[in-house]
Amino acid sequence: MAKRIIKICIDLIMFVLFLLLMEYHLLPKDVHEWLGISLFVLFIAHNALNYKWYNVLFKGKYTAMRIVQTVVNCLLWVAMIVCVISSILISGTVFAWMNINGAMTGRILHLIATAWAFVLMSIHLGLHWDSFVGMAKRIKIPQLVGMILKWTLRVVVLGLAVYGIVVFVQRGFYEELFLLTEFKFFDYDTSRFAYLLQTLCMAISFACIAYYVKKSSLLIKKSHKAKEINNEEFF
């Protein structure tokens, strides 16, 4: 139980750090760099605590969903490593003493790597959201209250997810993902809180898509199994 709580705390801190890191233009450069280092350290800790996943990586049957989750995890590793390498190349404070030439290449790599790391981390969260849902179901509350809370949260989260898609388009975030631009122009008129909330909504959008795609695939798989059992009983 203690290990599970530690894992949840690390995941939560990582998520908050990533939201803050997306506010590059609203934070002092040295703060941004130290937050990035902290995020990578926690990322390593997260993987160390989930070592069992690596133990069974080449074992068992690979279903479509397991393939998706494995690909997302591997791509996230690549994105995070590129984030670190590119941050060293463009560092103006923490790694400035290394005096490495390659700021232009590093800036482009950092732009696309951070964008994909943000999307992949959000998708990763969505693919594992059922574990948080399972924990919430263990909390004993009156059935009516639970039903009201469940549907209220669903409406709120879906509303935020829809707004996140709007933010995604307005910010032109797809330009960073597919390197359609080499320069990112920030809106300095938006307050730090508003920008953070908008970034959170984008993360919720990707997490919701991943969660409901996984949930739908599991329901389809369950339906197919039920049909197969019915057919066997019929014959």
Side-chain angles (χ1 to χ4, degrees):
M1 185 64 180
K3 183 179 177 181
R4 190 173 185 84
I5 293 173
I6 292 172
K7 288 168 68 173
I8 291 173
C9 289
I10 288 176
D11 293 349
L12 181 61
I13 295 171
M14 285 176 61
F15 185 68
V16 172
L17 285 178
F18 223 121
L19 293 179
L20 292 172
L21 285 166
M22 298 301 287
E23 294 191 351
Y24 172 75
H25 62 298
L26 297 174
L27 292 173
K29 194 168 184 180
D30 57 337
V31 173
H32 178 84
E33 292 188 22
W34 281 114
L35 287 179
I37 293 170
S38 301
L39 175 64
F40 189 70
V41 170
L42 289 174
F43 180 74
I44 297 297
H46 169 86
N47 281 273
L49 288 170
N50 290 278
Y51 68 93
K52 290 182 180 179
W53 181 79
Y54 294 95
N55 289 340
V56 298
L57 188 59
F58 299 103
K59 299 176 182 178
K61 181 181 179 181
Y62 267 82
T63 61
M65 187 49 60
R66 188 183 178 190
I67 292 172
V68 170
Q69 290 179 317
T70 303
V71 170
V72 168
N73 291 347
C74 291
L75 289 177
L76 183 54
W77 256 112
V78 173
M80 291 297 288
I81 290 173
V82 175
C83 280
V84 172
I85 294 173
S86 59
S87 66
I88 294 173
L89 292 175
I90 63 176
S91 176
T93 53
V94 180
F95 299 105
W97 59 273
M98 298 179 72
N99 197 25
I100 300 176
N101 294 322
M104 182 64 71
T105 301
R107 182 177 54 76
I108 294 173
L109 285 175
H110 203 65
L111 182 70
I112 189 171
T114 51
W116 276 108
F118 174 76
V119 171
L120 290 166
M121 184 173 285
S122 301
I123 292 173
H124 177 82
L125 179 65
L127 291 174
H128 292 84
W129 192 251
D130 50 355
S131 61
F132 295 98
V133 173
M135 288 179 63
K137 287 180 178 179
R138 296 193 190 103
I139 301 174
K140 294 182 180 181
I141 55 177
Q143 187 175 0
L144 180 60
V145 175
M147 185 65 68
I148 293 172
L149 282 174
K150 182 174 72 174
W151 282 102
T152 301
L153 285 172
R154 281 181 178 176
V155 172
V156 171
V157 170
L158 288 175
L160 293 174
V162 171
Y163 178 61
I165 295 172
V166 174
V167 174
F168 177 84
V169 176
Q170 288 180 340
R171 283 194 192 176
F173 197 72
Y174 51 87
E175 294 178 345
E176 298 172 51
L177 290 172
F178 302 105
L179 201 59
L180 299 177
T181 180
E182 293 184 5
F183 297 93
K184 187 62 182 177
F185 298 98
F186 297 103
D187 181 10
Y188 287 89
D189 294 328
T190 303
S191 68
R192 183 171 295 168
F193 176 78
Y195 198 89
L196 186 68
L197 180 61
Q198 291 175 357
T199 306
L200 172 63
C201 289
M202 277 204 301
I204 290 173
S205 297
F206 290 113
C208 278
I209 291 170
Y211 174 72
Y212 283 108
V213 166
K214 181 180 179 180
K215 191 173 182 179
S216 298
S217 66
L218 291 175
L219 287 173
I220 293 170
K221 185 178 179 180
K222 188 176 180 179
S223 177
H224 286 168
K225 278 189 176 181
K227 287 181 180 179
E228 289 175 2
I229 291 171
N230 290 334
N231 289 335
E232 288 176 2
E233 289 178 350
F234 178 79
F235 287 105

